[in-house]
Amino acid sequence: MKADRPLRLVSSVVCLVLAFASCTSNRGADAPTMTGLALEPAPDVSALSLPDAGNGGAPFRTRAAPGGLLLVYFGYTSCPDVCPTTMSDLRVAESSLTEAQQGRVRFAMVTIDPSRDSDELLTRYVRSFAADGHALRTEDATELRAAAAAFGADFGVKDGGMGQPEVLHTGWVYVVDDRGRLRLQWPFGTTSEDMASDLRVLLTEAVGRA
Amino acid sequence: MTSLRIALAVACLAASAGLIACGDDGGSSPSAVAVRDAWARSTADGQTAGAAYMKITGGSVDDRLLTAATPSDVARAVELHETVVAGGGMGSMTMRELDGLDVPAEETVQMSPGGYHVMLVDLAAPLVVGRSFDLVLTFANAGPQTVRVSVRDT
Ligand SMILES: [Cu+2]
């Protein structure tokens, strides 16, 4: 189904990536190429923490376990198109890794629509994609906005009156390493093959460093 | 990286100039609208809205998809939507409701993830892989057409 992805949308997202590509640079000539966008210097999100709804609201720091990677997504449970597509691609990407590699990758989703996504609903949603996933939810609008800003994510929820609220959100998946650095981000429409390939590069690198 | 960037830049230009054709050169010339590959992604636990996708090929005359409907045991309401990149940078995406979707004669319009979709609002029950449901698409010319939508993972 990847081939059906509308080219227009993917390329407009890619155009935005291009606009940002000027801030990136290659780390050495022998660095393996990755599809995702890497900002340099890698933004530090290690100080950030959000309540983990699946763990009684205990603060969860957005940094991976030693030698691992944390995938962070800003979405909402009533998202019918973009979020489930990305979740599905992520799941396929992760399943193509070795079991040992899979054990080192964790997923966290931050809801941008906490008024409709209750703790319980968000936890169920996240766990149906990733059994060990983290459901991050805060009702503090300032805290949510600051968290999104740390990742460079944007969102908005406009009351739709009688109809559905109009929700706007950045469709990126963010890859954070064990030092809490935002190493890579994938725009909506990144194929699961590309995600898997990038994850392998970063996981191999983490082993080399350990 | 440089060659990739150039390739991307070309892709951007091509897309913005509308050079990327989405049509399907089907050969035969069907007289009625044809809907193929109708599917909806299975929903996660707690997911209240879903989306259905399909390929619609126009008949011998230009047509327009006006509405979509499904039994109330599937969803409370059905809307035609398009996912679009919102202005303001950072690649924010949003959906807008369409008041119809043109299906030009003998051309194929793709409804697919990240683009046009039939939005299923307030699902009555989760969409489960292997199940299917009916969707009635009403066209300006071809009138109502019932299609079977199968639920899949990808
Ligand atoms: Cu929609």
Side-chain angles (χ1 to χ4, degrees):
Chain A
M1 277 303 110
K2 270 131 222 144
D4 302 1
R5 200 78 30 89
L7 283 171
R8 197 98 44 92
L9 176 62
V10 171
S11 50
S12 5
V13 173
V14 168
C15 292
L16 286 158
V17 176
L18 259 188
F20 281 92
S22 52
C23 338
T24 73
S25 69
N26 247 347
R27 285 192 177 211
D30 54 352
T33 39
M34 290 190 282
T35 310
L37 171 71
L39 297 178
E40 290 225 0
D44 184 352
V45 294
S46 65
L48 225 137
S49 87
L50 285 170
D52 189 342
N55 190 20
F60 175 80
R61 284 182 74 181
T62 52
R63 108 186 248 176
L69 295 171
L70 176 71
L71 309 181
V72 181
Y73 189 74
F74 290 81
Y76 60 109
T77 67
S78 56
C79 174
D81 180 37
V82 168
C83 313
T85 300
T86 300
M87 297 303 114
S88 165
D89 289 344
L90 270 177
R91 196 159 43 178
V92 171
E94 217 191 317
S95 67
S96 76
L97 301 176
T98 67
E99 223 165 285
Q101 286 172 327
Q102 287 180 35
R104 293 159 59 200
V105 179
R106 284 285 179 284
F107 174 72
M109 175 167 143
V110 183
T111 179
I112 56 157
D113 191 6
S115 62
R116 285 193 296 168
D117 291 346
S118 67
D119 281 348
E120 187 264 336
L121 181 67
L122 183 69
T123 303
R124 269 166 50 203
Y125 181 83
V126 169
R127 290 192 178 159
S128 77
F129 288 116
D132 51 9
H134 299 276
L136 307 183
R137 175 179 181 273
T138 175
E139 286 174 14
D140 179 339
T142 312
E143 186 180 35
L144 177 58
R145 187 61 69 184
F151 283 86
D154 189 21
F155 67 91
V157 182
K158 253 188 278 172
D159 190 355
M162 294 292 283
Q164 295 279 109
E166 189 188 323
V167 183
L168 174 153
H169 69 119
T170 324
W172 299 85
V173 176
Y174 303 93
V175 185
V176 180
D177 68 14
D178 56 3
R179 292 170 307 158
R181 308 272 179 222
L182 173 51
R183 297 296 304 280
L184 214 57
Q185 54 193 86
W186 297 308
F188 174 77
T190 302
T191 65
S192 50
E193 290 87 352
D194 284 343
M195 290 175 178
S197 154
D198 286 357
L199 288 175
R200 279 188 210 102
V201 171
L202 290 175
L203 288 168
T204 305
E205 179 200 296
V207 167
R209 210 181 50 235
Chain B
M1 189 62 195
T2 315
S3 58
L4 175 64
R5 236 180 266 179
I6 290 169
L8 292 177
V10 170
C12 289
L13 285 171
S16 50
L19 292 176
I20 296 176
C22 307
D24 206 8
D25 286 68
S28 66
S29 43
S31 53
V33 159
V35 181
R36 286 173 300 135
D37 301 339
W39 70 286
R41 198 184 298 282
S42 59
T43 53
D45 197 5
Q47 184 182 332
T48 53
Y53 311 102
M54 65 210 69
K55 298 181 179 112
I56 307 174
T57 304
S60 48
V61 292
D62 289 349
D63 210 333
R64 184 171 170 81
L65 172 60
L66 301 174
T67 58
T70 195
S72 60
D73 63 354
V74 176
R76 183 182 56 81
V78 181
E79 296 172 357
L80 301 175
H81 275 210
E82 182 182 17
T83 292
V84 291
V85 172
M90 288 321 293
S92 284
M93 289 179 288
T94 188
M95 299 185 299
R96 66 162 185 232
E97 189 176 354
L98 305 172
D99 60 7
L101 180 61
D102 283 330
V103 182
E106 277 145 53
E107 274 184 37
T108 297
V109 177
Q110 293 242 14
M111 303 185 89
S112 54
Y116 297 128
H117 54 274
V118 172
M119 168 120 160
L120 307 166
V121 183
D122 290 343
L123 290 165
L127 300 178
V128 178
V129 174
R131 302 262 184 88
S132 60
F133 59 89
D134 281 340
L135 189 68
V136 179
L137 302 174
T138 302
F139 294 89
N141 281 313
Q145 312 273 321
T146 301
V147 297
R148 197 82 188 147
V149 180
S150 48
V151 180
R152 309 201 309 245
D153 259 339
T154 49

